[in-house]
Amino acid sequence: KNEVEQSPQNLTAQEGEFITINCSYSVGISALHWLQQHPGGGIVSLFMLSSGKKKHGRLIATINIQEKHSSLHITASHPRDSAVYICAVGTSGSRLTFGEGTQLTVNP
Amino acid sequence: DAGITQSPRHKVTETGTPVTLRCHQTENHRYMYWYRQDPGHGLRLIHYSYGVKDTDKGEVSDGYSVSRSKTEDFLLTLESATSSQTSVYFCASSDSFEEKLFFGSGTQLSVL
């Protein structure tokens, strides 16, 4: 069983909708990463967080350490947000474990 | 974004041949990583480096070796390529395990 579980696996939304992608993990962590993989394959780091909430533009990431859960929210979604969103967790001094990703499609 | 490049972007090779993939970063990051990405799996770590000549195995290291002779370069070698090594390979770098990762554009490798 993967230590990192993402839901949903696939998500289709209409432009303008509010989107939530979830990530649950089973071990204590020192940091959680949210990554975006574009249709062309490139991977970009969106957020790294260990507590609370971070916001960048229309993207918001939250983490609840006690519940071992993180969410990535996209407000006012746009077709250019269509991508695979990947959650990864790391324990102190150790390598990252990645989720399988959530495929997001935003239709105009 | 950090300057991190991979070469080649695409490669087709035959079973049994050695293959070397190159990763080059210009950010002076201490850590460098090689991952593979396959359908049904998340990114999986092959090998990583925490300094020049300092490397360690990841979770799927069998059949792969790495070398890091300079801070900016991290090479991944498939000693004798097999069809199970057909995959997309990503290089990444960071200042530490707990820091933001910067990825290369990936290498699509097909072993026939």
Side-chain angles (χ1 to χ4, degrees):
Chain A
K1 185 180 183 298
N2 199 337
E3 295 175 354
V4 181
E5 297 288 342
Q6 289 186 233
S7 62
Q9 284 188 310
N10 294 281
L11 179 58
T12 300
Q14 289 300 121
E15 183 173 357
E17 287 184 359
F18 181 85
I19 289 163
T20 296
I21 298 170
N22 298 297
C23 176
S24 297
Y25 52 92
S26 56
V27 298
I29 65 167
S30 58
L32 183 143
H33 299 249
W34 281 103
L35 311 170
Q36 180 191 54
Q37 186 167 23
H38 300 290
I43 300 174
V44 175
S45 178
L46 297 175
F47 296 102
M48 188 191 69
L49 63 166
S50 55
S51 65
K53 180 169 88 171
K54 287 190 175 180
K55 184 176 188 290
H56 185 260
R58 295 179 296 105
L59 302 177
I60 303 166
T62 64
I63 187 169
N64 185 316
I65 296 294
Q66 286 73 30
E67 295 186 2
K68 295 186 171 60
H69 180 268
S70 176
S71 293
L72 177 68
H73 305 287
I74 305 175
T75 63
S77 60
H78 190 277
R80 65 175 175 265
D81 297 325
S82 297
V84 176
Y85 292 84
I86 301 169
C87 171
V89 301
T91 55
S92 179
S94 182
R95 59 179 182 259
L96 294 178
T97 300
F98 294 80
E100 292 184 28
T102 294
Q103 173 70 63
L104 172 65
T105 302
V106 182
N107 293 319
Chain B
D1 281 334
I4 180 165
T5 56
Q6 293 181 230
S7 60
R9 292 294 312 277
H10 303 272
K11 185 167 182 67
V12 180
T13 191
E14 294 184 348
T15 299
T17 60
V19 176
T20 295
L21 308 183
R22 180 175 182 258
C23 181
H24 179 80
Q25 54 105 354
T26 58
E27 298 299 313
N28 201 34
H29 285 158
R30 180 184 173 195
Y31 284 76
M32 296 186 75
Y33 315 83
W34 277 107
Y35 293 98
R36 61 178 289 173
Q37 186 178 42
D38 304 288
H41 296 275
L43 287 158
R44 292 182 291 174
L45 183 65
I46 303 170
H47 282 279
Y48 68 97
S49 169
Y50 48 96
V52 173
K53 291 186 169 51
D54 291 323
T55 64
D56 205 350
K57 295 179 179 180
E59 59 188 299
V60 289
S61 60
D62 287 347
Y64 302 95
S65 62
V66 290
S67 65
R68 193 168 179 200
S69 59
K70 296 187 287 185
T71 297
E72 57 266 35
D73 292 327
F74 193 34
L75 303 181
L76 175 71
T77 297
L78 287 65
E79 294 140 9
S80 177
T82 67
S83 58
S84 65
Q85 293 175 313
T86 292
S87 187
V88 180
Y89 291 85
F90 286 96
C91 175
S93 69
S94 67
D95 280 327
S96 74
F97 275 128
E98 285 82 18
E99 295 297 320
K100 183 178 177 181
L101 281 171
F102 295 89
F103 284 85
S105 300
T107 296
Q108 173 68 62
L109 176 67
S110 297
V111 183
L112 306 179

